[in-house]
Amino acid sequence: MSVLVIIPAAGSGSRFGGPVPKQFQPLAGKPLVQYVVERFLMTDAARIVVAIPEPLLTTVKQAPGDRVQFVAGGETRQQSVIKAMSAAGDGYDVVAVHDAVRPFFRIDTLGTLIDAAQQHGAALPALPITDTIHATRDGRLSATIDRSNLVAAQTPQCFRYDILRDALARAEREKFDATDEAGLAAHYGYQVHIVPGDPFNIKITRPEDLALAEAHFEEWSK
Ligand code: C5P
């Protein structure tokens, strides 16, 4: 069974602020994206394709025969995934798409997700929502959302290769842009299986998250 890993890392990270996008911020002395790539290198993934901002392509080493390949990303996360997938070519059974800014994914959860994707077609890790969620209008609370059926999506999200390729091609034709690939697969009628996520698999979005990640990293590597 051959697994392709796609890491979209081409965002500008506007919510993080500052000139360095969040996926290149250092965690324990390494850029987050490098940390994530090295974790995937511990698995038996056949190929790891990382979409990065085009101007950075000349700054990375791309060794022939290496499992890691860098490509220029696109305007949106979905465009970056499309570019990475076409650069990888075919011949894979399962594709795992993982945010460059989630350094603490569990390798055993990845295995569970790959198995679930093979069985059901698509799978994502997700957590129940613990906060109360309100809708707002003009800076004021307008409604409280029933959270009993809501989950917060994490990555890695895993798909049978043909399913992700079909969903991305249809989205491209219809100019439909989803915020994650699990949502895209569901939009096109594929069954997406939910696997319990991990509260430590945080998405580093704001500078405060990086401080939390440093603290967690210290605890984790003891
Ligand atoms: O913007 P958001 O936080 O949802 O980004 C999630 C992931 O998608 C990040 O790793 C980001 O670098 C990546 N991304 C990308 N290409 C874009 C926008 C986001 O690869 N155009």
Side-chain angles (χ1 to χ4, degrees):
M1 205 251 318
S2 173
V3 176
L4 166 65
V5 173
I6 291 179
I7 304 174
S12 59
S14 48
R15 277 168 296 178
F16 200 87
V20 181
K22 56 197 176 184
Q23 65 274 27
F24 301 108
Q25 295 287 333
L27 172 67
K30 279 180 200 167
L32 274 172
V33 59
Q34 181 185 344
Y35 189 87
V36 166
V37 168
E38 286 176 3
R39 268 179 82 62
F40 277 107
L41 281 170
M42 292 178 206
T43 71
D44 54 11
R47 178 160 287 269
I48 301 162
V49 186
V50 190
I52 59 174
E54 183 157 27
L56 293 182
L57 258 193
T58 51
T59 67
V60 291
K61 278 191 265 142
Q62 211 151 161
D66 195 356
R67 282 198 286 162
V68 185
Q69 179 182 0
F70 294 91
V71 298
E75 291 278 296
T76 62
R77 172 207 167 91
Q78 190 172 302
Q79 292 292 333
S80 295
V81 172
I82 290 173
K83 286 185 159 195
M85 206 150 159
S86 53
D90 47 23
Y92 305 95
D93 302 302
V94 169
V95 189
V97 184
H98 184 66
D99 290 333
V101 288
R102 289 189 191 268
F104 302 122
F105 69 95
R106 292 174 59 112
I107 291 177
D108 57 347
T109 305
L110 173 66
T112 306
L113 288 157
I114 291 171
D115 292 347
Q118 281 189 298
Q119 199 186 332
H120 304 281
L124 88 159
L127 285 177
I129 306 271
T130 50
D131 293 327
T132 292
I133 305 291
H134 297 303
T136 62
R137 195 180 311 117
D138 302 327
R140 291 184 188 186
L141 197 159
S142 60
T144 300
I145 311 293
D146 175 11
R147 69 181 176 201
S148 57
N149 286 320
L150 298 182
V151 292
Q154 298 185 327
T155 70
Q157 300 187 348
C158 294
F159 308 85
R160 284 208 297 263
Y161 179 87
D162 50 335
I163 287 181
L164 184 60
R165 197 178 52 178
D166 175 63
L168 288 169
R170 285 162 77 176
E172 181 91 319
R173 280 199 300 275
E174 294 172 14
K175 308 228 173 313
F176 174 72
D177 203 65
T179 48
D180 73 1
E181 293 64 41
L184 192 70
H187 178 79
Y188 287 113
Y190 291 111
Q191 198 194 124
V192 183
H193 187 77
I194 297 176
V195 163
D198 175 8
F200 284 119
N201 184 12
I202 57 170
K203 180 176 181 186
I204 296 173
T205 308
R206 298 157 296 211
E208 297 80 3
D209 299 329
L210 203 53
L212 274 178
E214 288 284 355
H216 176 56
F217 181 83
E218 266 178 41
E219 198 51 40
W220 204 45
S221 40
K222 267 183 199 158

